[in-house]
Every structure is written in structure tokens, then in C-alpha cells.
């Protein structure tokens, strides 16, 4: 194996940057339009460089196409993606593509493309209409729930592999049972739920739509019971599946719950590289692939090394916590208190503590069941 070569590489690629056909009230990425003014579209030349550099340093490359709204690039761009991946992929190498979308631009051609090229689609929906349409609206303020349901049915019709992504806010964080029934009624068994925590415009407190810690603790425990199903899980909810992996194998697959920040690198439309989707800001610009290779950034960037290690700067409450190995202070994105001041542990610390205590024996049961098979 060549020096610097690795088994797996994960990337979040933003071919249109923050461009989007929605104006979700809680979106943290819309503000990046100020960071990248003007036209935001990835060129085919840059796409080739990106894919060739990726396959030059890893056996497996996991790519998630994100935005903004990545479908704004048009289907022809992704047809080219598949062609270029096949061109640069050597024998034994694998490329896995995921596509995170609000769904509005999808049609039959998109659905057939996803199915035929094994793209895993993540489609954003926050629950029933009265919840979803509270925040997920067009720039003109129009609701989108009905359109998203149409696109989910389209994906189901064409047997596209997909999961739903739900942002937990003040509108739905206390409705775990309603959400679970809603998705089950739609025939959806692959879900993930992400808590929303943003600062208000004055940055002196949390935004009104943020999910408070107590409500999130209730959600984690209630939804866990739905997933656990008396010891016989039948659906996939990412958060619990990944904690089960931690129990069974000792390693959590998500960077949010590991000792250092080693998640997917973000590649902006112009080739700029950042260490994390939540930290696309000048302070953490690692370089540009037109000027320095991905391999160099991964293996030689002092700034990237600093970013990865900063998570280890933990509060005493973390170092003395019996659940430290399950949490490691949580995601740095959530290290704020109610007044918007930075802290060295997660805002959701109490949520996780309560959940870990609540679910421990049940996870141990599942672990033993898996080991006995």
C-alpha cells in the first residue's frame, strides 16, 4: 500500500454550494451564500480532478452529494459523475454515492438514474404537513409537504433505496410517537433524526426553533422504544443502529461520538476543502484541490490536525462521566449553552446521559442476542 493510501474516504460534495430552491427557516447553510457570492456551479474539470484525487488515495470512496440542493446541478451532471467514477476506478476499488435532497426537483428520470446506479437517497421531511410546513417552505413562503410526499411515492414506485431525514425542532421534538406512526403509515422503515440547535441572530442565545435538551431526552427514549420493539427491531433508525454498533464492536461510526473530529471532508463547488459540514468558515479552510491534493490535506495539514484534536478539550463533567466512552462530549456543533456561550461539552449532555442510562440494559440484550447467532 502506498504511503498515505487508506481503506476508506468519506466526502460531502456541494456542487452548487448553498444554492437551494427552498428557504427552510432553520437552515444553517444558506448563510454560506455570503461566503461564496456569484455563480456557484461545479465545473466538469474540477469534478474530474476531485474524483481522480479521491480514487488515488482510497480503496473505498463514500460520496454524499449535498447542498443547498444538489439536484439544481441537473441530471446530466450526475450522469457525468458516474462516467468519471468508472473511468478512474481501478480494479477492486469501490465508489458509493448518496444524494441528500429536498426532493422537489425529482422526476421519473431521476428515480431511474438513482435506481440503476445504486445511489442511496436521503429525502428531507419533518413529519405531517402541519409540522413540515412550519419551517420547510419555498422562498415565497409556500408549503412543500404535499410535493415531498409525491416524490417519496415516486422513489417507492421505482424501488429506489432511500431514507428520510427529519430535523427535530420545537415543532416536532415532542412528537416521537406521531412521527413514528407517520413514517410507518408511509411504508418507510429507514429513518434518521437530527436535533436542531442554532444561535439566534444576535448570537446571545438559542434560536426559537432549536430543540431543548429535556425534550430531546424524551424523544430519544420514546423513539428508542419504538425501534427496540421489545427486543426485536424491525426498522432502521440511524442513531440507535450506530449506538448498537458501538456496543457490539466498541467503535461508534459517527464522528459526533468519537474522541476526535474525523468525519467527511466537505468539498465546495470551487474545490475549497473544509473539515466538517458544520464548520464551513474561513477559519477552517484547509485548502483548495486546484492547488493542493486531497491526499496532502488528509496527511499533512496542520490545520486539519488541529481541528480533529480540538474535540478532546473537554469539561471536567465529561472526564468524570460514566458515559464518556459513548459520547466524548458530543458534536462540537452543539457545544453552546442556553445563552449562546461556548462550552466544553454538548448542550445535549443531559439528554444523552438520560438516554444512555435508559437504554443500557436493552442494548446489552441486543448485543448478547447478536453474539449468540
Amino acid at each position: 500500500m502506498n504511503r498515505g493510501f487508506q481503506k476508506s474516504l468519506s466526502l460531502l460534495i456541494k456542487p452548487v454550494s448553498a444554492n437551494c430552491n427552498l428557504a427552510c427557516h432553520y437552515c444553517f447553510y444558506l448563510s454560506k451564500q455570503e461566503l461564496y457570492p456569484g455563480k456557484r456551479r461545479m465545473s466538469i474539470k474540477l469534478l474530474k480532478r476531485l474524483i481522480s484525487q479521491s480514487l488515488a488515495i482510497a480503496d473505498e470512496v463514500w460520496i454524499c452529494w449535498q447542498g443547498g440542493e444538489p439536484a439544481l446541478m441537473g441530471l446530466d451532471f450526475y450522469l457525468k459523475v458516474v462516467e468519471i467514477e468508472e473511468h478512474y476506478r481501478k480494479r477492486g476499488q469501490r465508489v458509493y454515492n448518496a444524494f441528500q435532497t429536498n426532493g422537489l426537483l425529482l422526476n421519473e428520470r431521476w428515480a431511474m438514474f438513482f435506481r440503476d446506479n445504486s445511489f442511496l437517497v436521503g429525502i428531507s421531511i419533518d413529519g405531517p404537513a402541519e409540522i413540515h410546513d412550519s419551517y420547510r417552505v419555498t422562498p415565497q413562503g409556500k408549503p412543500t409537504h404535499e410535493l415531498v410526499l409525491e416524490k417519496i411515492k415516486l422513489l417507492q414506485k421505482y424501488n429506489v433505496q432511500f431514507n428520510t431525514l427529519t430535523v427535530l425542532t420545537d415543532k416536532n421534538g415532542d412528537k416521537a410517537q406521531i412521527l413514528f406512526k407517520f413514517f410507518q403509515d408511509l411504508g418507510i422503515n429507514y429513518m434518521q433524526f437530527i436535533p436542531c440547535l442554532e444561535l439566534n441572530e444576535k448570537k446571545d442565545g438559542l434560536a426559537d426553533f432549536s430543540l431543548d435538551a429535556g425534550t430531546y431526552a424524551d424523544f430519544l427514549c420514546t423513539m428508542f422504544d419504538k425501534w427496540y420493539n421489545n427486543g426485536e427491531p424491525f426498522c432502521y433508525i440511524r442513531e440507535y443502529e450506530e449506538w448498537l454498533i458501538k456496543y457490539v464492536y466498541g467503535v461508534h461510526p459517527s464522528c459526533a461520538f468519537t474522541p476526535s473530529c474525523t468525519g467527511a471532508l466537505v468539498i465546495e463547488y470551487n474545490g475549497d476543502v473544509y473539515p466538517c459540514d458544520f464548520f464551513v468558515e474561513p477559519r477552517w479552510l484547509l485548502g483548495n484541490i486546484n492547488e493542493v491534493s486531497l491526499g496532502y490535506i488528509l496527511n499533512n495539514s496542520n490545520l486539519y490536525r488541529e481541528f480533529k484534536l480540538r474535540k478532546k478539550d473537554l469539561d471536567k463533567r465529561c472526564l468524570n462521566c460514566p458515559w464518556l466512552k459513548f459520547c466524548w462530549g458530543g458534536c462540537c456543533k452543539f457545544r453552546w449553552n442556553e445563552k449562546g456561550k461556548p462550552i466544553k461539552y454538548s448542550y445535549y449532555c443531559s439528554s444523552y446521559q438520560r438516554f444512555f442510562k435508559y437504554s443500557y440494559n436493552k442494548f446489552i440484550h441486543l448485543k448478547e442476542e447478536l453474539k449468540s447467532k
Side-chain angles (χ1 to χ4, degrees):
M1 182 176 291
N2 296 330
R3 185 176 180 272
F5 202 82
Q6 55 194 70
K7 177 175 175 54
S8 182
L9 172 67
S10 296
L11 303 173
L12 296 178
I13 302 178
K14 297 179 177 287
V16 295
S17 188
N19 284 7
C20 194
N21 52 344
L22 293 190
C24 302
H25 296 181
Y26 54 62
C27 181
F28 71 92
Y29 214 79
L30 278 178
S31 63
K32 306 309 174 186
Q33 293 181 358
E34 299 174 6
L35 187 61
Y36 292 106
K39 184 179 179 182
R40 294 178 286 267
R41 291 181 68 86
M42 181 174 285
S43 69
I44 298 301
K45 180 179 180 181
L46 186 97
L47 177 65
K48 290 179 179 178
R49 177 173 285 125
L50 171 57
I51 293 173
S52 65
Q53 287 188 13
S54 302
L55 286 168
I57 58 174
D59 284 324
E60 297 178 349
V61 178
W62 299 77
I63 297 176
C64 183
W65 303 92
Q66 284 194 341
E69 175 48 53
L72 287 170
M73 277 301 293
L75 181 55
D76 287 347
F77 177 82
Y78 297 98
L79 289 167
K80 198 69 177 176
V81 164
V82 173
E83 178 185 321
I84 294 170
E85 288 175 349
E86 187 59 29
H87 175 77
Y88 285 104
R89 185 177 63 84
K90 298 179 178 64
R91 190 173 185 178
Q93 285 185 305
R94 295 185 178 183
V95 182
Y96 301 92
N97 291 285
F99 195 91
Q100 185 60 46
T101 178
N102 58 45
L104 270 63
L105 296 176
L106 304 186
N107 56 28
E108 291 188 344
R109 286 190 65 222
W110 277 101
M112 288 187 287
F113 168 79
F114 290 142
R115 180 196 63 199
D116 295 344
N117 293 282
S118 301
F119 271 57
L120 174 62
V121 176
I123 189 161
S124 298
I125 181 169
D126 287 352
E130 63 272 17
I131 296 173
H132 178 95
D133 289 336
S134 297
Y135 296 136
R136 297 193 64 79
V137 296
T138 69
Q140 296 76 34
K142 295 182 178 180
T144 62
H145 188 265
E146 185 176 342
L147 287 171
V148 177
L149 283 185
E150 289 180 9
K151 305 307 180 179
I152 287 176
K153 292 175 183 176
L154 176 71
L155 296 176
Q156 290 172 325
K157 176 183 176 181
Y158 282 90
N159 296 315
V160 176
Q161 288 188 327
F162 77 95
N163 58 42
T164 55
L165 187 152
T166 299
V167 178
L168 297 176
T169 65
D170 63 319
K171 300 296 184 183
N172 60 1
D174 61 345
K175 296 178 172 60
Q177 296 195 54
I178 291 174
L179 290 176
F180 188 79
K181 184 179 186 304
F182 172 74
F183 289 121
Q184 287 292 287
D185 288 347
L186 289 174
I188 293 170
N189 283 318
Y190 292 84
M191 299 159 268
Q192 58 178 310
F193 301 92
I194 299 177
C196 180
L197 188 73
E198 298 292 334
L199 301 181
N200 61 29
E201 292 182 357
K202 295 181 180 179
K203 299 189 185 303
D204 60 359
L206 304 180
D208 292 340
F209 48 70
S210 295
L211 180 67
D212 72 82
T215 304
Y216 188 39
D218 291 340
F219 181 93
L220 284 172
C221 295
T222 302
M223 188 62 79
F224 173 80
D225 284 340
K226 294 294 184 182
W227 171 81
Y228 183 71
N229 190 40
N230 295 317
E232 298 183 0
F234 67 92
C235 65
Y236 176 99
I237 297 180
R238 179 178 177 180
E239 291 73 20
Y240 308 126
E241 296 283 344
E242 291 189 342
W243 267 313
L244 180 57
I245 290 173
K246 167 66 177 178
Y247 273 88
V248 175
Y249 296 105
V251 179
H252 199 289
S254 171
C255 56
F257 302 107
T258 54
S260 60
C261 294
T262 54
L265 290 177
V266 174
I267 316 294
E268 264 288 349
Y269 77 102
N270 67 342
D272 282 350
V273 182
Y274 296 90
C276 174
D277 190 35
F278 291 135
F279 294 93
V280 174
E281 51 195 51
R283 165 74 175 89
W284 295 111
L285 175 60
L286 302 179
N288 186 291
I289 63 169
N290 290 302
E291 301 164 356
V292 60
S293 72
L294 274 176
Y296 185 88
I297 290 173
L298 281 167
N299 297 300
N300 301 98
S301 170
N302 290 328
L303 185 61
Y304 186 38
R305 190 174 298 111
E306 177 186 347
F307 182 86
K308 289 187 290 186
L309 294 177
R310 73 192 187 119
K311 191 180 178 186
K312 295 180 181 292
D313 187 15
L314 292 170
D315 190 86
K316 289 182 179 178
R317 70 163 61 191
C318 295
L319 299 176
N320 296 321
C321 178
W323 305 109
L324 176 62
K325 65 180 181 180
F326 291 97
C327 176
W328 296 107
C331 178
C332 290
K333 160 75 173 176
F334 298 140
R335 290 186 177 183
W336 302 96
N337 64 19
E338 292 84 351
K339 296 182 179 180
K341 302 299 182 182
I343 53 179
K344 295 182 179 181
Y345 57 91
S346 175
Y347 170 80
Y348 294 116
C349 173
S350 61
S351 314
Y352 295 132
Q353 286 185 330
R354 202 168 115 202
F355 169 69
F356 293 144
K357 184 177 181 180
Y358 180 83
S359 61
Y360 180 79
N361 288 333
K362 294 176 181 178
F363 271 125
I364 293 298
H365 169 74
L366 291 177
K367 174 184 176 180
E368 295 303 321
E369 286 287 306
L370 288 171
K371 289 176 66 175
S372 66
K373 291 182 178 178

